[in-house]
Amino acid sequence: MTKSKKLRKNNVENNVEAMEQGWAIMEEGIAKLKNILEELESQFSSEEYMRLYTTMFNLAGRNNIDDDYICQQLYNNYKESVQAYIMSTVNPSLRDKHDEFMLRELVRRWSDHKVMVKWLSRFLSYLDRYFVVRKKVESVKDLGFSCFRDMAYGEVKHKAKDAVIALINKEREGGQIDRALLKNVLDVFVEMGKGEIEFYTDDFEDAMLKDTAHYYSRKASQWIFQDSCPDYMLKVEECLKTEKNRVSHYLHSSSETKLLEQVENELLVVYANQLLEKETGCRALLRDDKVDELSRMYRLFHNIPKGLEEVAKIFKEHVHSEGLMAIQMIEDATCNKTEKAGGARGEHALMTTFIELHNKYSAYTTGCFCNNAVLHKALKQAFESFCNQVVCGTSNADHLASYCDYILKKGGSEKISDEAIDESMDKIVKLLAYISDKDLFAEFSRKKLSRRLLFDRNVNDDHERLFLTKLKQQCGGQFTSKMEGMVTDLALAKENQNQFHEYLINNNAAIPGMDLTVNVLTTGFWPTYKTCDLRLPAEMVKCVQVFKEHYEAKTKHRKLTWIYSLGTCSINGKFDSKTIELVVGTYQGAVLLLFNDAQRLSYSDIKTQLNFEDDDLMRVLHSLSCSKYKILKKDPDSKFVSPNDYFEFNSKFTDKMRRIRIPLPVVDDRKKVIQDVDNDRRYSIDAALVRIMKGRKILGHQQLILECVEMLSNMFKPDVKVIKKRIEDLLARDYLERDAENPNLYKYVA
Amino acid sequence: MTRASKRKSDHQTSESVKSVRTDSVRSASSKAAMKLQERIDELYNKYANTASAIIDPEGIEKLCSDLQVDYTDVRILMLAWKMNAQKQGYFTQDEWRRGFKALKVDTINKLKKTLPDLKKDVLKSDNFVDFYNYAFRYCLTEEKQKCLDIESTCILIDMVLGFQYQPQVDSFIKFLKIQSDYKVMNIDQWTNFLRFCQEISFPDLANYDTGEAWPLLLDNFVEWMKQNANVDSP
């Protein structure tokens, strides 16, 4: 028993001795290391290195893991040495220097410290392997760094931070500074964190950001008054560039976003409205088409929160006022002149101006505004706001339809190229998107299409179909189905005509008596035309009869309704001087044929014989007796037809042409079209309401209105009052009922 | 009476003296009930048209003069409501009985005395909505008629709502006479007018929201009121 005690005692005693001896050697090493750092001695020799390493190794080897006496001692001694070194050497040297010199010293001391710790941790590496792990303490290196951080860095960090910030500001004002030094200093801050950035952020970055904010706030408050908007923006761009540059050269990369944010905040966010509202601001740039400046504005405002909202608002107002100005100009120029002179050209001027405006500002949104959604929306809203105004007495749906008509007519007579037509059509479809009365546009287009198909000699099938395809892509199939049907009808009509000719050839009994061409139109597709019970002259009756027989033989179960108001006929007028071929409408032809059997007829004679209505007959007689070509003589020879007039065949009539057209002027049925569309809308609203309620069963009032507007939005914009009226109507007709508890809730009645 | 006696015979064997006493009370009250019914019927026959056995407008006029109440007084309408009379100007015997039983009266004098109570009863909010809607339906004389002409509506609304919401009613009647969009009023508009009086502050109309499900007629009324308010203020 005693033996082992003794042994152990010896061991302990030996350990203490060994420790003392070993550490003494270490101290020598440390002293040498200090000298090396002060450049008073050169490097360790390999023997010196081996001696130190081996001593420590052996010492550590004697360690008993029961008490860890040796390792603990080593660890403590090491810590004390490092601390002593800092206190004696590092801190004094830092204390007595300032500004740049102090920063240089800091950099130097840290680099020295790293070297020292590196060497010492090599010597004490045995500790790291086992003791540190076992005791869960800081590694030798980390311990060394912690000492520096707590004792040296801790003392000097404020001064260092202030010095760095001062230098940054010096550079901002144009002074030259040592960028490498700053980078090294800031690396110290970063390295203090040992992988975490918190020391850099807490001890330097926060203060730097605040200081930056102050700096730019001062600058901004001067610049905003002195500089024009473009100049200010240039400065902002420059500042941002400089700060970014600063980060890449000596600040830590994590500072970039925060730093730029501060700059943007002080220069832009704070003064955003003031800047935009300057006399040289956003409005002026738009007015003067300063594309570059606007691009810059977009780039700058794009990054700040809600930055583009104000820009978008100004943009929208500008486009809106441009639109209104265009409208005003055109109204002044054309509507005040006589209708005939300015009317047609006026409409096209309006549409072409709209298209130009749209091109211009679309280019802005795709170009300087980089296709940004907020700006696109502003453009859309601006166009919607003025595209739906009434100009020259009629809505833009009408104007647009007239413009389409004009383009397609021109295309038919080949006055413009195919590409130009394609382009125009694209523009038209784009403008259509802004017009809320799309159903009105469809109706006007349909009417004009029917006139083109039936009366225009140069109608181009391909162009018509192309246009309908584009419309369909934009607005859906429902929009164009009727018009497509119309075009198909005409295409089929040619075939039907061939069949009719064959029938005539093969059937000797069928003799119409004259050349007859019949277009059979499908009722649903074409606009409704007023039919009148015209009592045809005998010659025409025969034609109709023959065709009827042919048609009934061809297809059963179809009813033909003859629309004479749309027909044309060629009649030879045997005048005294020469025979002239007259191309007239069927109505006019019927009237003229009467004069084959009578020399002179009264208004009422004609009316009874043909069974015309007054308004139709007046128009017909006017075209034949009071306008350019006086085929009939009117007694009395007044400007307008009255029911007491008498008419005679004007045998003295002549013209240099051998063939003349006498068109019947078109009745302006705009009001009727608008009325029809209004009626259709009522049914559409009803249908939409019922469909929604059928699906939802119970729905609140506001929600119902919202969904109804949504459902109908691609055809027209329903008036909320009208919807309310339709709801009341549905309530009265027991399609819907109010909820007993909540009068704002509707229930579907199955 | 026979029924009552049947009951008596069923229970008599097994019941105690107490039940006999309650039975006798019951028979007494049922005797009283029979007498009441008789008096009510008697009164009915006083006013009924002998040919049709129904009280017709002439009979009602007589009733009114006996009650010393005007023919067009709202209390007659309230009486009709209590009876749940179906046809304007006529009371059937069932309706008569129903009304009188509900009011617990059997003579003209008692009826006259109870009219103020009747009025109070009707004015209780639950009853009032029912009464208000009843009043409209009562005036629809034709079968399947859903709307009332504007003139009759004006009279009716004054009668039924005048004492409670005089300013609203006066303005509304003025408006109805001026406007030409509507020639008749339907039950939906009628019902909502009461809600209007109850919910909307008058005459500032501050909490009226056209975005809500008010009938268009009332939207127009509010617009008219606001226009006139601007005209009147100096």
Side-chain angles (χ1 to χ4, degrees), chain A residues 68-82:
Chain A
D68 266 329
Y69 170 71
I70 303 237
C71 283
Q72 193 63 60
Q73 283 295 103
L74 282 176
Y75 197 78
N76 292 346
N77 287 352
Y78 162 72
K79 184 173 177 188
E80 279 167 20
S81 299
V82 171

Side-chain angles (χ1 to χ4, degrees), chain A residues 493-663:
Chain A
K494 292 201 184 84
E495 228 196 78
N496 288 337
Q497 195 52 35
N498 292 337
Q499 282 182 357
F500 182 55
H501 273 305
E502 272 191 39
Y503 169 80
L504 289 177
I505 293 173
N506 295 334
N507 201 329
N508 281 329
I511 305 172
M514 55 184 101
D515 275 333
L516 177 66
T517 313
V518 180
N519 283 329
V520 180
L521 314 173
T522 316
T523 313
F525 299 151
W526 295 75
T528 41
Y529 294 103
K530 197 173 71 167
T531 52
C532 78
D533 225 350
L534 184 61
R535 214 170 287 137
L536 283 177
E539 297 93 326
M540 294 183 181
V541 171
K542 186 124 199 297
C543 291
V544 169
Q545 192 57 37
V546 170
F547 186 83
K548 240 178 120 182
E549 281 163 12
H550 158 73
Y551 193 75
E552 270 159 22
K554 201 166 72 139
T555 41
K556 309 234 182 293
H557 312 300
R558 300 259 183 96
K559 176 163 176 277
L560 283 179
T561 309
W562 293 83
I563 315 256
Y564 300 113
S565 57
L566 297 176
T568 28
C569 52
S570 299
I571 294 188
N572 282 333
K574 295 200 170 94
F575 301 104
D576 288 343
S577 49
K578 69 179 189 206
T579 306
I580 301 179
E581 189 185 333
L582 305 166
V583 179
V584 293
T586 310
Y587 282 4
Q588 293 152 304
V591 169
L592 290 176
L593 283 175
L594 287 181
F595 288 91
N596 276 345
D597 301 320
Q599 181 61 20
R600 185 184 157 90
L601 290 166
S602 74
Y603 178 92
S604 36
D605 284 338
I606 302 176
K607 184 169 170 197
T608 0
Q609 282 199 43
L610 294 176
N611 198 25
F612 263 126
E613 296 211 3
D614 278 319
D615 48 0
D616 285 331
L617 186 54
M618 293 231 180
R619 274 192 308 131
V620 171
L621 288 171
H622 184 95
S623 71
L624 295 172
S625 61
C626 305
S627 355
K628 190 173 172 193
Y629 302 111
K630 292 193 167 51
I631 310 295
L632 297 175
K633 278 190 293 196
K634 189 164 81 79
D635 177 20
D637 195 13
S638 53
K639 264 197 162 177
F640 293 105
V641 173
S642 87
N644 302 320
D645 291 346
Y646 279 85
F647 297 88
E648 248 181 73
F649 177 66
N650 185 7
S651 50
K652 298 275 185 293
F653 175 79
T654 189
D655 191 89
K656 65 175 193 280
M657 306 294 276
R658 258 186 297 172
R659 186 166 183 263
I660 52 179
R661 288 187 142 244
I662 309 180

Side-chain angles (χ1 to χ4, degrees), chain A residues 701-702 705 721-722 724-725 728 731-734 738 743-746, chain B residues 146 182 188-189 192 195 210-217 219-220 223:
Chain A
H701 176 85
Q702 283 96 337
I705 297 218
K721 263 197 165 177
V722 175
K724 222 180 181 185
K725 189 112 204 278
E728 280 183 10
L731 280 169
R733 287 191 282 160
D734 290 328
R738 283 191 203 262
N744 268 320
L745 214 57
Y746 298 111
Chain B
K146 283 192 173 173
Y182 293 91
D188 187 58
Q189 291 157 325
N192 276 293
R195 193 165 69 90
T210 42
E212 288 185 2
W214 295 104
L216 258 175
L217 174 65
D219 284 349
N220 294 347
E223 204 184 304

